[in-house]
């Protein structure tokens, strides 16, 4: 140790150089008889309301996002047309649709021939 407490000054000075620094966001120091605490606030934390649907959409594959986009554009699109537009096999389209149905992101309204796809509201790709 160079000097007792010199690290505290270094911690404070380095924190003060960060963008968006304010006194309220500065480091906090406290001590007890047998311990010492330094509290550094996470400036990257955003107190936002969670949107579980869009949080889920962020984890989708590119194929799933493209599929959702096509279903929104053309709700009456058929599986073979999806295969052609996405340039994938029918088995791949069926698997992606099954995954999205299981997650309650899409649903089929009506029959396979005369029905249409409904994408859950609030789903942005």
């Amino acid at each position: 140790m160079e000097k007792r407490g010199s690290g505290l000054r270094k911690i404070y000075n380095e924190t003060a150089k960060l963008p968006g620094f304010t006194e309220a966001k500065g480091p906090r120091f406290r001590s007890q008889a047998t311990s010492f605490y330094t509290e550094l606030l996470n400036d990257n934390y955003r107190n936002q309301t969670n949107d579980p649907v869009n949080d889920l959409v962020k984890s989708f594959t590119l194929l799933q996002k493209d599929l959702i986009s096509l279903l929104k554009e053309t709700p009456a699109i058929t599986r073979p047309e999806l295969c052609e537009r996405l340039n994938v096999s029918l088995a791949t389209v069926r698997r992606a649709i099954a995954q999205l149905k299981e997650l309650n992101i899409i649903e089929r309204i009506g029959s396979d021939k005369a029905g249409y796809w409904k994408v859950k509201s609030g789903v942005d790709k």
Side-chain angles (χ1 to χ4, degrees):
M1 230 164 57
E2 296 171 26
K3 281 199 256 177
R4 186 175 179 168
S6 65
L8 302 178
R9 189 173 21 265
K10 288 179 185 176
I11 290 171
Y12 184 84
N13 290 339
E14 290 301 311
T15 305
K17 293 177 187 176
L18 295 173
F21 173 82
T22 63
E23 289 295 321
K25 294 181 182 177
R28 298 177 188 154
F29 308 104
R30 61 187 169 95
S31 63
Q32 295 177 345
T34 58
S35 56
F36 182 82
Y37 300 93
T38 302
E39 182 180 6
L40 302 172
L41 301 178
N42 182 356
D43 194 35
N44 296 319
Y45 175 77
R46 302 278 188 263
N47 189 8
Q48 300 172 346
T49 59
N50 290 334
D51 183 355
V53 173
N54 280 325
D55 288 346
L56 181 63
V57 171
K58 290 176 188 174
S59 69
F60 285 167
T61 65
L62 182 58
L63 174 66
Q64 290 169 322
K65 289 179 182 180
D66 289 345
L67 180 61
I68 290 169
S69 179
L70 284 172
L71 296 178
K72 282 179 148 183
E73 285 175 20
T74 317
I77 195 167
T78 63
R79 286 178 178 93
E81 290 171 332
L82 286 169
C83 294
E84 189 177 311
R85 297 274 305 267
L86 296 170
N87 198 28
V88 295
S89 70
L90 185 57
T92 301
V93 166
R94 284 184 175 148
R95 190 171 34 255
I97 286 173
Q99 291 166 344
L100 293 173
K101 279 181 165 182
E102 186 177 314
L103 295 169
N104 198 27
I105 298 298
I106 63 171
E107 71 175 296
R108 183 72 179 177
I109 307 295
S111 68
D112 283 348
K113 262 194 170 185
Y116 64 94
W117 294 102
K118 182 179 177 187
V119 178
K120 185 175 183 177
S121 62
V123 176
D124 299 321
K125 67 171 198 135

